[in-house]
Amino acid sequence: MTVIAEGMNVFETSKQPSGTVHYLADPQSVIALIDSGKLRDHILLVRGGTTTFLAPALTMGAIGVITMSGAPESHLGILSREFQTPCVMTAHLTGGSGSRYVPGETDDSHFEEIVEALNGKNVKLDCSDHDVGKVVLLD
């Protein structure tokens, strides 16, 4: 079991969804994924916890979410608990540069590194710990 990323766990659950990480940069990419009929095949990766455009995916049955910033008290954290969708927030890579999100200080290279490392990978979310959510590489 290789943990490729970790972050804050939004809520403790025994659900361990698995799928291909799909980066959603904007509302159009969310709608395109929903329209494809393959929403449940993917763990959704978004930049922040205030990403309100992800709400339609949650209502349509998203199986898991990873954010690169934000906290469990953010809009997306609240929605994930409401829909019981496992969510790892402010994820950082366990290898690589060791870059971590710091509000007001983190530049785009941090987010680009995470998207490059996770997008398209087959992963499982482990949100069984009260505090730490894990992104486990399956390939």
Side-chain angles (χ1 to χ4, degrees):
M1 176 171 103
T2 303
V3 177
I4 191 171
E6 292 183 338
M8 291 181 275
N9 188 19
V10 172
F11 68 97
E12 193 175 333
T13 180
S14 61
K15 291 181 185 177
Q16 293 195 346
S18 61
T20 304
V21 176
H22 190 94
Y23 177 57
L24 300 169
D26 53 38
Q28 293 79 11
S29 59
V30 173
I31 299 304
L33 181 58
I34 291 170
D35 287 347
S36 76
K38 297 183 180 197
L39 177 63
R40 293 178 187 261
D41 296 340
H42 298 282
I43 303 294
L44 310 179
L45 176 64
V46 294
R47 186 160 174 159
T50 57
T51 308
T52 57
F53 63 74
L54 195 58
L58 292 173
T59 65
M60 299 295 291
I63 61 169
V65 177
I66 304 166
T67 73
M68 295 179 271
S69 65
E73 299 79 18
S74 67
H75 179 73
L76 195 49
I78 293 166
L79 285 177
S80 346
R81 278 190 298 281
E82 181 70 24
F83 288 101
Q84 292 294 289
T85 305
C87 182
V88 177
M89 298 194 86
T90 311
H92 62 276
L93 300 175
T94 55
S97 70
S99 174
R100 300 231 183 177
Y101 176 74
V102 177
E105 296 180 19
T106 304
D107 65 21
D108 285 342
S109 66
H110 168 77
F111 302 107
E112 292 163 2
E113 179 183 25
I114 293 173
V115 171
E116 185 176 320
L118 298 182
N119 196 39
K121 298 288 191 299
N122 191 24
V123 303
K124 170 178 71 173
L125 295 186
D126 179 352
C127 297
S128 61
D129 183 86
H130 179 70
D131 297 317
V132 178
K134 298 175 182 170
V135 180
V136 179
L137 187 62
L138 295 177
D139 291 334

